[in-house]
Amino acid sequence: MSLRAWTIGAILILNAVRFIATDRSPPGFYVDEAVGAAHALCIGETGKDLFGNAFPLFSAGLGAGYYTAPYLYGEALWTRVFGNSTAGLRTFPAFITCLTVLFLFLWVRKKEDEETALAAALLASVSPWVFQFSRIAWDPPVSAFFIVLGLYAFEALKWRFHWVIGAMAFGMASLAYPGTRILTFPLVLLLPGLGWKKKSYSTAILALILAPVFWRSLIDPRFTARAEMLVLWSSHPMSPLQDAGALDILWAAVLNGLSHLSPDFLLLTGDHNLRHSTGAVGMMSPIEYLLLVGGAITGAITLIRRRKLPGTGIRFLLVGATLGILPSALTWESVPHSLRAIAAWPFFVVLAAMACRNLTRHVPLFRPYFLLFCLGFAAFLGSAYFGNWTTRAGAWFQTENNTLGRAYSRLVSGEASCEDITKEIELGPFRTLK
């Protein structure tokens, strides 16, 4: 078999692992997963969420958060086919992530070449950042998928109105996760190779899709309450910058952004929240991190010696990674925060894949070792994830003993119907159950 065939086989197997033991690892069923699952099951059964809202775009959760239509309706359809168990619900983001890797490959193959695309798909397949969130039943992986789908549609799809599909995909990404709304408009405007006329139309389509979000933000203070609490300029009593000036806030945002590039976050221990990382490794595989560092050093040397800026494509990827980090950098709580920065990983992966391609062109012998390094790290990550982390993370995946928190388990067991829970919520969604 050729190295290409071995690489494709490895990518397929590594992505199949996303579907293994999702009912056991992560342990338990986190309250955010449980409430979203109950909303999705009721929408699939009755067309209404737990609060009795018919075909909602947003359904309220705990902590002033909201579940979004792309995730809720996706889960509603998925569970009709694959069941409403924990595994049934968690395999939906696993499937969505596999699609994300597929469209990442297609996008990069069209932009660069197949060698770079295979490297990107392999790096994404062994990325702890990607693997961790592909097995938890919540919205953010859906947003990452639509970002990549949009990039593919804008830059690789050759249909006449490809930019319409790209704009719609970016719109769905913005609906699926609030943080993504910060970066979709700039990404459209900065897309290389897309004329300003199409950029204008795409921006209009994106704004039209987000019109319900803007309207809800104006009429319902609760809808933006969580974002207003977490932003750096928040007046929340727990915010360390509640009385800070504009320059202090700007500097804090820069430092927050840089914290997402630290070796501790990317290479060594990752996010300190055990829902977001095993703690045994960083958010990237060591090979991805080293390729990025090597690429950065090479780029800096080229800039200094030849006074030559990176190409348009690389500049766009660098801006994309920066914008992906921005939703986390603009908050004060639990930074660096890999979930809020989830849109950054596709850009980092492609940058690392391009560095890998450049390296293998100068050192062809590196090709087989690159595959071996990735497979070796995947084995290490799997042993940490399915082993020690599954034991340690139990406390991080608990639900809550109230009407919302226990709605999913009661629906699945037949103890209550969607209509029963909707009536109970009228008495108080956080009422403790006996």
Side-chain angles (χ1 to χ4, degrees):
M1 288 177 62
S2 65
L3 182 60
R4 175 180 178 274
W6 279 107
T7 302
I8 293 172
I11 292 169
L12 293 174
I13 292 170
L14 289 167
N15 281 281
V17 173
R18 299 188 196 283
F19 298 88
I20 296 175
T22 51
D23 58 337
R24 183 181 70 85
S25 188
F29 201 49
Y30 183 48
V31 64
D32 283 359
E33 295 181 276
V35 178
H39 278 310
L41 293 181
C42 286
I43 288 171
E45 181 182 327
T46 68
K48 299 180 180 180
D49 66 12
L50 293 176
F51 290 88
N53 301 309
F55 301 107
L57 274 179
F58 308 99
S59 294
L62 299 166
Y66 284 82
Y67 301 90
T68 60
Y71 172 74
L72 291 173
Y73 292 101
E75 279 283 25
L77 291 172
W78 184 265
T79 53
R80 301 292 282 185
V81 178
F82 296 99
N84 58 15
S85 65
T86 300
L89 288 150
R90 283 177 171 168
T91 50
F92 174 65
F95 173 71
I96 286 294
T97 302
C98 290
L99 289 181
T100 309
V101 174
L102 172 62
F103 281 103
L104 185 75
F105 167 81
L106 295 173
W107 172 47
V108 177
R109 186 176 66 174
K110 193 67 178 180
K111 278 178 59 67
E112 301 295 331
D113 51 53
E114 186 174 273
E115 180 184 9
T116 311
L118 285 173
L122 183 58
L123 287 170
S125 299
V126 301
S127 169
W129 208 334
V130 183
F131 188 78
Q132 189 79 22
F133 294 133
S134 70
R135 297 169 58 87
I136 302 175
W138 53 15
D139 310 60
V142 180
S143 182
F145 163 70
F146 280 115
I147 286 288
V148 174
L149 177 62
L151 292 169
Y152 167 74
F154 274 122
E155 296 199 271
L157 198 60
K158 291 304 178 184
W159 296 353
R160 183 177 179 184
F161 295 105
H162 64 99
W163 50 273
V164 176
I165 298 173
M168 291 175 67
F170 274 15
M172 295 295 283
S174 298
L175 285 178
Y177 191 52
T180 310
R181 294 164 201 162
I182 297 175
L183 59 108
T184 46
F185 282 101
L187 281 179
V188 169
L189 296 176
L190 294 170
L191 276 166
L194 190 69
W196 281 106
K197 187 175 181 180
K198 290 179 180 178
K199 286 182 179 180
S200 300
Y201 291 154
S202 298
T203 302
I205 292 171
L206 183 54
L208 185 63
I209 293 173
L210 289 179
V213 176
F214 300 143
W215 177 248
R216 183 75 177 267
S217 301
L218 289 173
I219 65 171
D220 184 1
R222 295 172 298 178
F223 188 67
T224 56
R226 181 167 175 79
E228 290 174 0
M229 178 184 73
L230 292 175
V231 292
L232 288 176
W233 50 92
S234 168
S235 59
H236 191 275
M238 293 182 65
S239 170
L241 296 168
Q242 56 180 302
D243 298 317
L247 289 178
D248 291 328
I249 291 172
L250 180 61
W251 182 239
V254 171
L255 294 179
N256 282 353
L258 291 175
S259 72
H260 292 80
L261 304 178
S262 69
D264 180 63
F265 179 72
L266 293 180
L267 180 64
L268 301 176
T269 61
D271 195 314
H272 294 162
N273 183 328
L274 284 184
R275 281 189 298 276
H276 303 167
S277 171
T278 63
V281 294
M283 301 312 300
M284 293 180 177
S285 63
I287 189 66
E288 181 185 350
Y289 180 81
L290 292 174
L291 285 168
L292 284 170
V293 171
I297 292 172
T298 302
I301 292 172
T302 301
L303 178 62
I304 294 170
R305 287 185 176 180
R306 302 181 185 177
R307 300 189 183 279
K308 182 181 178 181
L309 290 171
T312 304
I314 293 179
R315 293 202 301 270
F316 176 72
L317 292 170
L318 290 169
V319 170
T322 303
L323 290 171
I325 289 170
L326 193 60
S328 179
L330 292 178
T331 62
W332 54 266
E333 183 242 6
S334 301
V335 177
H337 196 286
S338 57
L339 187 62
R340 292 177 198 145
I342 193 172
W345 76 254
F347 300 98
F348 281 128
V349 160
V350 178
L351 284 166
M354 293 176 72
C356 180
R357 177 201 61 198
N358 294 338
L359 177 59
T360 54
R361 286 178 178 176
H362 290 91
V363 188
L365 188 62
F366 179 70
R367 286 189 178 92
Y369 287 103
F370 172 64
L371 176 58
L372 289 174
F373 290 151
C374 288
L375 290 176
F377 175 73
F380 176 78
L381 174 63
S383 66
Y385 183 90
F386 292 107
N388 183 258
W389 176 79
T390 300
T391 303
R392 292 187 299 117
W396 293 78
F397 283 91
Q398 299 302 307
T399 189
E400 295 182 7
N401 187 30
N402 54 44
T403 309
L404 274 182
R406 285 198 46 208
Y408 166 72
S409 61
R410 295 173 69 208
L411 287 170
V412 172
S413 67
E415 179 184 332
S417 67
C418 293
E419 291 81 2
D420 293 335
I421 294 173
T422 299
K423 291 177 181 177
E424 291 176 9
I425 284 176
E426 293 175 0
L427 302 176
F430 309 111
R431 184 170 55 90
T432 302
L433 298 181
K434 295 181 180 180

